[in-house]
Amino acid sequence: MLRSQIYQRHANQEGVNIIMRKSLVLVLTLIVALTLAACGKNNNNSDASASNSPAASGGASNGAALSGTITAAGSTALQPLVEQVANKFMSENSGVSITVAPGGSGGGLTQVAGGQVDIGNSDIFAEEKLKDEAKDLVDHQVGVVAIAAVANPKVNVDNLTKQQLVDIFSGKVTNWKDVGGIDAKIVIVNRPSSSGTRKTFENLALGGPSKDLPGSIQEDSSGTVKKLVAETPGAIGYLALSYLDDSVKALKFEGVEATSDNVATGQYPVWAYEHMYTKGEPNPTVKAFLDYMLSDAVQNGDVKDMGYIPMSAMKVARDVNGTVTNK
Amino acid sequence: MNPVKKDQAAGNRRLRFPKHIREEWYGRVYAYFCVTLLIVTIVSIVWFIASKGLNPFLSGAVSVPELLFGRTWSPESEPPLFGALPFLAGSISVSLLAAVLAAPFGFCAAVFMTQIAPKVGRRFLQPAIELLAGIPSVVYGFVGLSVIVPFLRNNFTGQGFGILAGTLVLSVMILPTITSIATDALSNLQAGLKEGSFALGATRWQTIYRLILPTTFPSLLTGVVLGISRAFGEALAVQMVIGNAPHVPRSLLESAATLTSIITLEMGNTVGGSLHNNVLWSLALILLIMTFLFVFTVRMLERRAGR
């Protein structure tokens, strides 16, 4: 009798275990489903929360500790800088969490205009990509990046004029010996036609859009472009100064070397602003982060160290239409 | 059933549902819930891609023949031109060539593992081939970029990038698919068929060549089609080695592009809702339709194999 009771209890216990296991599976499924649903909702809500938060956290700026989350997305050229500065900012403000996602300048601009992220990183002015949505966006220029034509070190060319670059990128000149180098076929390593770096290079170095030539190579990241130019005999491409090292040779443009000083004084013309766009005026947390980005410590520290040019060093300014003026 | 028992059962049910009935219901609700979630996901993905991908055609910006047969892809020019023929040609040639290259290897490996040396095959060859399936595609791409491309560049004309490099990388990637399906097909061979052939005095080679391969042919083809389907959809590894020039290449060694490579290359730089972005969705829609065709083909082959 006693024994059978024990068995009975044992059996019940097992039954309970099975039920628990089953309900665990159920609960997990529900969690997945709810997460999916929540994700869908989030996108709709963020617009509202972004517009609410300045009012809601208006009191926070009165000396109270910053808190909240900041999401930034966009340009891969700007991403390393933003990530590094974000990490520093987070260690100083423990209540803030910042996520920086890649996605290209176009993606960053779309997402900030749509309210999915707080900050859209871009190499180009929003007006160049967006139409009506650009009006809502506020531009925060956090640095300048110069772009240089780079070649495989073996081609033995130091300098190219604008015309020579145009000839090379339009396929008129196909051998390095025609521009003063060795006898080797020119291999163009391009970025996709929608890339911000390519747009900047085309507008300022070539003076207009270029075509994709048959046999040219296209890569979607600056890192790969550098690797290919370094490895492929006769290769030419273009890179942001922040990516340059000894494996590739930076070419002078019209006799001017691509250095921070030459860019700052306006002698070297192929450069672009790094923009961090917000939709409307930023909320206090985002504003604090952007102010931190523009602080002297960051501008003269991280910005310089990573190969960008600080805003304060620039002696010239450029507007949306490409007009350069002295400051 | 007698009326007294029926009454009792009804009474029981009223009091409380028996355990096994409850379990039945829990299971059923759970299964339906999962299936519904799955169907909703699939339908919404198809709906999403189709609604975005059909936009350029419906708005009249690009016509279907223009997209399918246009040879010039220059989305940022004035007016923009969206000719996806170079990508279609690239995708189709890369995946077909990869299948042509991988299929003989896959069939031979399967024959070896099931007919010639099952012990060694099962113990060493199969895990090795299955390992290939587990390697992430970015690793394949990187190996291709660091080994195959320089090799082609140094030994042939051109820069090493192109259809050939893509084909070589993809053929290794789809080898596990072809091999494992061929192995399954060969080991599920009807009992007695092989023995009958041996009894008639056929050699092992004759049995394999004349009997086993023709009998399992539809299943082998299923593997090849699934392999092509995987190759067609592969983006990262191909994009790293193919060169990505939006032109129909003049040779296997000239930079080319595929549907997937152009999508990954340009999606991040385009603005959602713009024509350029929507045309990329049209390319995704083409990929989806091709996948449907592949699945359909596999179904047809399976039906033939089952007969």
Side-chain angles (χ1 to χ4, degrees):
Chain A
M1 183 63 189
L2 197 71
R3 221 179 206 189
S4 69
Q5 266 177 350
I6 291 171
Y7 281 148
Q8 187 67 46
R9 188 175 288 171
H10 207 78
N12 281 342
Q13 193 67 45
E14 237 164 43
V16 169
N17 276 344
I18 290 170
I19 289 170
M20 276 178 72
R21 235 177 286 154
K22 276 184 185 163
S23 48
L24 188 69
V25 178
L26 262 175
V27 167
L28 284 177
T29 323
L30 275 175
I31 289 173
V32 171
L34 286 177
T35 322
L36 286 176
C39 281
K41 255 187 194 164
N42 234 349
N43 281 344
N44 303 332
N45 279 351
S46 57
D47 214 24
S49 71
S51 53
N52 280 341
S53 41
S57 45
S61 54
N62 302 335
L66 290 168
S67 66
T69 57
I70 303 175
T71 49
S75 161
T76 42
L78 182 53
Q79 193 191 2
L81 176 68
V82 180
E83 263 173 0
Q84 184 170 323
V85 176
N87 283 337
K88 276 185 155 180
F89 187 75
M90 283 190 281
S91 63
E92 284 172 26
N93 300 278
S94 53
V96 181
S97 108
I98 304 174
T99 342
V100 188
S105 300
L109 289 171
T110 320
Q111 288 181 53
V112 73
Q116 289 105 332
V117 296
D118 300 318
I119 301 173
N121 300 332
S122 173
D123 305 331
I124 50 174
F125 282 97
E127 287 81 357
E128 296 177 53
K129 277 269 181 192
L130 303 172
K131 289 182 190 101
D132 296 338
E133 301 99 318
K135 281 183 215 129
D136 304 337
L137 298 181
V138 180
D139 190 3
H140 307 269
Q141 296 168 355
V142 297
V144 165
V145 68
I147 293 160
V150 293
N152 185 279
K154 293 201 186 102
V155 299
N156 210 13
V157 170
D158 290 321
N159 177 43
L160 287 175
T161 64
K162 184 170 183 171
Q163 192 54 46
Q164 283 172 328
L165 275 176
V166 172
D167 288 347
I168 288 173
F169 278 90
S170 64
K172 257 186 224 158
V173 169
T174 54
N175 198 306
W176 281 106
K177 71 181 178 199
D178 296 334
V179 290
I182 57 168
D183 181 11
K185 201 171 169 276
I186 296 177
V187 178
I188 297 171
V189 183
N190 234 333
R191 297 288 302 279
S193 54
S194 45
S195 140
T197 309
R198 173 159 168 180
K199 277 230 165 74
T200 308
F201 185 75
E202 282 179 345
N203 288 342
L204 300 167
L206 304 180
S210 65
K211 279 195 178 126
D212 290 312
L213 299 174
S216 67
I217 295 164
Q218 273 191 44
E219 290 300 334
D220 66 343
S221 81
S222 296
T224 322
V225 169
K226 184 172 82 180
K227 181 178 153 66
L228 290 182
V229 172
E231 283 176 1
T232 314
I236 185 170
Y238 40 89
L239 286 172
L241 283 199
S242 44
Y243 278 95
L244 284 188
D245 62 20
D246 292 340
S247 66
V248 293
K249 184 176 198 169
L251 302 174
K252 287 181 193 161
F253 179 71
E254 299 276 358
V256 183
E257 208 178 328
T259 61
S260 302
D261 291 339
N262 286 340
V263 173
T265 54
Q267 279 176 295
Y268 185 83
V270 193
W271 55 269
Y273 289 116
E274 294 290 12
H275 309 264
M276 291 173 80
Y277 278 101
T278 55
K279 191 176 187 181
E281 284 304 321
N283 69 43
T285 313
V286 175
K287 184 164 178 6
F289 177 57
L290 291 171
D291 287 346
Y292 182 75
M293 196 86 193
L294 285 167
S295 66
D296 284 346
V298 170
Q299 287 281 312
N300 292 320
D302 305 80
V303 170
K304 257 189 187 166
D305 294 345
M306 295 184 76
Y308 304 88
I309 301 153
M311 290 302 290
S312 55
M314 292 300 292
K315 297 192 179 66
V316 289
R318 187 190 288 136
D319 65 9
V320 185
N321 304 318
T323 321
V324 179
T325 47
N326 283 317
K327 264 197 210 172
Chain B
M1 205 185 268
N2 79 48
V4 183
K5 259 196 179 168
K6 206 175 175 183
D7 257 19
Q8 261 179 349
N12 276 346
R13 213 178 304 143
R14 255 201 304 278
L15 276 174
R16 91 186 235 274
F17 292 108
K19 195 180 165 210
H20 63 278
I21 301 283
R22 265 183 302 151
E23 281 180 348
E24 173 87 14
W25 275 101
Y26 287 155
R28 190 173 286 189
V29 168
Y30 179 69
Y32 277 126
F33 175 72
C34 289
V35 168
T36 317
L37 201 67
L38 203 67
I39 292 173
V40 167
T41 313
I42 294 171
V43 169
S44 42
I45 287 177
V46 173
W47 168 253
F48 183 72
I49 296 179
S51 64
K52 283 211 159 201
L54 289 176
N55 194 298
F57 307 131
L58 296 178
S59 68
V62 185
S63 70
V64 179
E66 210 178 309
L67 185 76
L68 291 182
F69 304 114
R71 291 177 57 123
T72 318
W73 176 265
S74 117
E76 303 284 317
S77 67
E78 283 298 329
L81 288 171
F82 297 100
L85 186 67
F87 314 132
L88 278 169
S91 276
I92 293 172
S93 52
V94 165
S95 23
L96 284 184
L97 286 174
V100 167
L101 206 63
F105 284 103
F107 292 169
C108 289
V111 166
F112 181 83
M113 281 191 290
T114 53
Q115 312 297 329
I116 297 172
K119 264 189 190 159
V120 184
R122 293 261 173 213
R123 191 171 295 166
F124 299 106
L125 199 56
Q126 198 163 24
I129 289 178
E130 276 163 7
L131 199 69
L132 287 181
I135 297 175
S137 56
V138 64
V139 176
Y140 277 110
F142 201 61
V143 171
L145 187 60
S146 314
V147 181
I148 294 179
V149 169
F151 173 80
L152 293 176
R153 182 167 60 219
N154 297 334
N155 293 286
F156 299 96
T157 57
Q159 291 98 51
F161 292 91
I163 302 273
L164 188 59
T167 302
L168 290 176
V169 170
L170 279 179
S171 60
V172 182
M173 288 183 78
I174 65 173
L175 190 62
T177 313
I178 295 179
T179 311
S180 56
I181 291 178
T183 312
D184 283 349
L186 291 181
S187 46
N188 290 339
L189 208 62
Q190 208 180 330
L193 208 58
K194 206 164 71 177
E195 288 76 3
S197 170
F198 286 143
L200 287 172
T203 62
R204 186 157 74 178
W205 168 244
Q206 283 169 334
T207 308
I208 291 171
Y209 180 64
R210 293 271 172 81
L211 192 81
I212 295 177
L213 287 184
T215 317
T216 52
F217 192 67
S219 306
L220 298 182
L221 223 50
T222 305
V224 174
V225 174
L226 282 176
I228 294 177
S229 160
R230 187 181 173 200
F232 207 83
E234 174 53 42
L236 202 54
V238 179
Q239 192 223 311
M240 287 169 87
V241 299
I242 201 161
N244 305 313
H247 292 277
V248 180
R250 287 163 293 194
S251 81
L252 292 182
L253 288 155
E254 193 179 276
S255 175
T258 65
L259 287 169
T260 46
S261 76
I262 207 72
I263 294 175
T264 51
L265 204 65
E266 298 196 339
M267 199 53 112
N269 288 313
T270 57
V271 175
S274 67
L275 181 60
H276 187 180
N277 190 277
N278 281 338
V279 172
L280 292 180
W281 283 106
S282 307
L283 299 185
L285 185 64
I286 295 177
L287 276 173
L288 191 72
I289 294 171
M290 293 300 282
T291 314
F292 281 147
L293 286 182
F294 285 129
V295 172
F296 183 70
T297 317
V298 168
R299 286 291 170 130
M300 294 290 284
L301 286 169
E302 269 172 356
R303 201 172 296 164
R304 263 188 75 185
R307 222 171 31 196

